[in-house]
Amino acid sequence: MSNVADNPKPARSTRRGVLFGVGAGLLAGLAWCLIVIGTDSSQAYLIPLFGVVVAYGVYAGMRRPGRQAAAIAVAITAVTLIVAIFYVERHFLVSLFSDNGDSLNIPLVPYLDWVVAVVRHAMSKSPSAPIYSLLALVAAGWFGHQGFEVHDPRL
């Protein structure tokens, strides 16, 4: 029979960390898309929050920071950020064409080549999206590795 006192540190649950991180990334992407749709502006300065939100999700799932949490947070941030950038840029492209009386059919569930083309277009419009995306990846790695607990060195 197992006793809680035998295992003072909670075990790292990689699966749970991945699930929490993906959930956090999807929520961050949904929030960003809704803000973009509501304001009709890309709000690129919100992109670094992806890294923080995903890292917190991974941290909450794994219950401990570290290299593994950082690597998972960076990977999930990259994937969810690409998906979110695709849908934000898709919104802008469809709006641009419809404002000019034309239509552009970019599927909601795209093929990989559509995602690459649309994300490449979004990243080439201005330097802010690539810079903020890099900051999001750095934030995911940093907070995934450091965690979110305050460590007071005086204690």
Side-chain angles (χ1 to χ4, degrees):
M1 195 154 133
S2 176
N3 189 353
V4 176
D6 293 340
N7 191 9
K9 292 183 180 177
R12 291 183 187 212
S13 173
T14 304
R15 183 181 312 145
R16 187 173 146 158
V18 169
L19 288 174
F20 278 41
V22 168
L26 292 176
L27 287 175
L30 179 64
W32 185 41
C33 287
L34 290 175
I35 290 169
V36 166
I37 290 169
T39 61
D40 263 346
S41 177
S42 69
Q43 309 293 333
Y45 59 86
L46 296 175
I47 292 174
L49 291 178
F50 266 87
V52 177
V53 170
V54 170
Y56 184 77
V58 172
Y59 173 77
M62 292 181 72
R63 297 203 174 123
R64 281 198 285 174
R67 287 188 194 132
Q68 184 182 20
I72 291 169
V74 168
I76 293 172
T77 298
V79 171
T80 57
L81 192 55
I82 287 170
V83 171
I85 288 173
F86 169 79
Y87 283 108
V88 165
E89 192 62 24
R90 179 193 179 280
H91 165 73
F92 286 133
L93 290 171
V94 170
S95 295
L96 177 71
F97 274 76
S98 68
D99 288 346
N100 292 321
D102 202 355
S103 67
L104 179 65
N105 295 320
I106 300 176
L108 281 174
V109 182
Y111 295 110
L112 185 60
D113 59 338
W114 279 94
V115 173
V116 169
V118 171
V119 170
R120 183 179 296 144
H121 177 265
M123 292 295 191
S124 65
K125 286 192 320 187
S126 78
S128 63
I131 290 170
Y132 285 132
S133 297
L134 181 63
L135 286 175
L137 295 173
V138 169
W142 175 261
F143 285 111
H145 188 266
Q146 298 297 321
F148 288 86
E149 292 181 6
V150 177
H151 299 288
D152 191 1
R154 296 176 290 170
L155 296 178

